[in-house]
């Protein structure tokens, strides 16, 4: 059994930002030498997410608007702690903080339009994602 | 370590459809010969989902209505590409495109009511699901 | 390859309850002897969830209120079966029933604020969570 671990670091220019990390994940899979297995891609923060969907700018704007509708910036109890990012926690819960992807014949086994995204909901500070490959 | 991979193909009659694939996943686990491990069940498309919940027709209709309320068919920016399935992308994000299930003593280790569903949000065309078993 | 399996049992006092199980998961990882791998934490019921987020009481109340807004207690088709927990099924779909966490150097590899929660949406009865560790 082989494992391989990498960490990605982000410090986005915008408060919310959606970054295509498919190439980084594919690179980690290559470096791992794993032919058959799985790769976990997981945000290490509670105000960020990771998802698999289309790399299409219009859709990304749709998703951003939709998330703001379902989990709006608002006055939350959480803000009594001095934070003002309650909405980012809810957005993270909604889209989830991790995905796990199949590896077949040494490469990510994704469908034709599947791309891996890091979703930053409370940026402009240092955030991390862990990539952990496991297989043989 | 053992791995085993299968692909399911769907071409649903309806635009949206919810298909119980528990037996297919259980069959893949049996074929794998894995006694202890995990199985990933993942849609290979960005307008479909996979979830674990109850096999009850009333509930499936409730879920369908609820998803249409939270992620309605509407006029999305994504449609400028010529597509009209923006809602299917959002529904996929909401329910997620994959689950990972435990295998214990050679079988799926699910609770009494847990069933695995493929959720088609933009059907009437060929779609695929990957099943990847890993363990020993 | 090593695997290790534990089951947690809950019987909550309240109908809805959010329980921090990070220490239980960390304990299972320690017992497993796995240095590099992954741990699956999965509710075995269809009216419960597992998530990773902040251990902050105000936020937990915000999440509870938000889930009730997006997936309210209401009159669902599912209730024709004699059940009255349709909302709990939808809440479970929304937050998901499982997470998979990375293990590095023999410990959970979580970010500074990441805590694992069991989310009970239909409690006051016996429910279970499976913890399955896999790695080497």
């Amino acid at each position: 059994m082989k494992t391989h671990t990498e960490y990605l670091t982000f410090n986005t220019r915008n408060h919310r930002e959606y970054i295509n990390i498919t190439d980084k994940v594919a690179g980690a899979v290559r470096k791992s030498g794993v032919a058959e297995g799985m790769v976990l891609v997981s945000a290490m923060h509670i105000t960020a997410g990771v998802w698999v969907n289309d790399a299409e700018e219009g859709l990304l704007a749709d998703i951003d608007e939709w998330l703001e509708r379902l989990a709006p910036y608002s006055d939350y109890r959480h803000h009594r702690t001095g934070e003002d990012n309650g909405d980012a926690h809810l957005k993270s819960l909604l889209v989830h903080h991790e995905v796990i992807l199949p590896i077949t014949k040494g490469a990510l086994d994704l469908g034709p339009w599947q791309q891996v995204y890091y979703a930053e909901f409370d940026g402009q500070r240092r955030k991390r994602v862990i990539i952990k490959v496991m297989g043989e």
Side-chain angles (χ1 to χ4, degrees), chain A:
Chain A
M1 213 195 92
K2 288 173 184 172
T3 63
H4 172 76
T5 307
E6 291 188 20
Y7 302 88
L8 307 180
T9 304
F10 303 93
N11 196 331
T12 61
R13 223 173 332 183
N14 303 308
H15 184 61
R16 295 213 295 268
E17 219 168 296
Y18 309 108
I19 301 166
N20 190 333
I21 58 172
T22 315
D23 287 350
K24 307 263 189 197
V25 179
V29 169
R30 267 193 307 274
K31 264 185 264 176
S32 74
V34 166
E36 294 290 325
M38 299 178 194
V39 54
L40 173 65
V41 184
S42 186
M44 302 186 78
H45 299 266
I46 52 191
T47 54
V50 176
W51 72 56
V52 169
N53 215 283
D54 201 357
E56 198 277 298
E57 288 306 315
L59 182 68
L60 291 171
D62 291 329
I63 293 170
D64 184 75
E65 193 176 289
W66 174 69
L67 289 173
E68 186 58 28
R69 188 164 62 78
L70 291 190
Y73 182 84
S74 178
D75 185 29
Y76 293 105
R77 290 176 193 83
H78 181 52
H79 298 177
R80 295 180 199 154
T81 63
E83 296 280 357
D84 72 339
N85 59 3
D87 72 298
H89 289 270
L90 301 181
K91 288 177 174 92
S92 167
L93 282 173
L94 196 63
V95 305
H96 273 246
H97 77 289
E98 40 101 337
V99 296
I100 186 156
L101 307 168
I103 301 166
T104 305
K105 294 176 184 164
L108 282 177
D109 197 351
L110 297 176
W113 303 100
Q114 289 187 303
Q115 297 285 302
V116 190
Y117 270 82
Y118 172 67
E120 177 61 82
F121 299 124
D122 187 23
Q124 297 162 321
R125 46 174 144 169
R126 190 170 172 276
K127 306 285 271 283
R128 292 200 304 159
V129 162
I130 181 170
I131 300 175
K132 170 111 26 196
V133 188
M134 190 160 100
E136 66 171 7

